[in-house]
Amino acid sequence: DAFMSHLIALLSTYELCPMSTPPPRYDGPGDWQTDTILRSLGAVARRMYTAEEALSSISASENWQTNGPE
């Protein structure tokens, strides 16, 4: 089904691509369920990218404190 194929592509994008890569758009048939799933996945992805950025900043700060400026 078209929505399942879209979800596979979307999840692969979130797994493999950097945040700057735009997610694929779903242009197939939709209803309140597909809209809710896509909205929720978008929110989860934003939280994931925010957490990854925060972790990267924390790690960089810890490395700087341990090793000093290089």
Side-chain angles (χ1 to χ4, degrees), residues 1-40:
D1 116 331
F3 188 65
M4 185 64 71
S5 295
H6 173 74
L7 288 178
I8 292 166
L10 183 62
L11 292 172
S12 294
T13 300
Y14 288 149
E15 179 182 11
L16 302 173
C17 298
M19 181 173 57
S20 59
T21 302
R25 293 186 49 87
Y26 177 65
D27 295 322
D31 58 18
W32 70 270
Q33 293 171 320
T34 57
D35 294 344
T36 300
I37 291 168
L38 293 174
R39 185 175 51 255
S40 295

Side-chain angles (χ1 to χ4, degrees), residues 34-55:
T34 57
D35 294 344
T36 300
I37 291 168
L38 293 174
R39 185 175 51 255
S40 295
L41 281 174
V44 168
R46 283 189 299 277
R47 291 176 66 188
M48 173 187 67
Y49 289 131
T50 299
E52 287 178 347
E53 287 176 359
L55 179 59

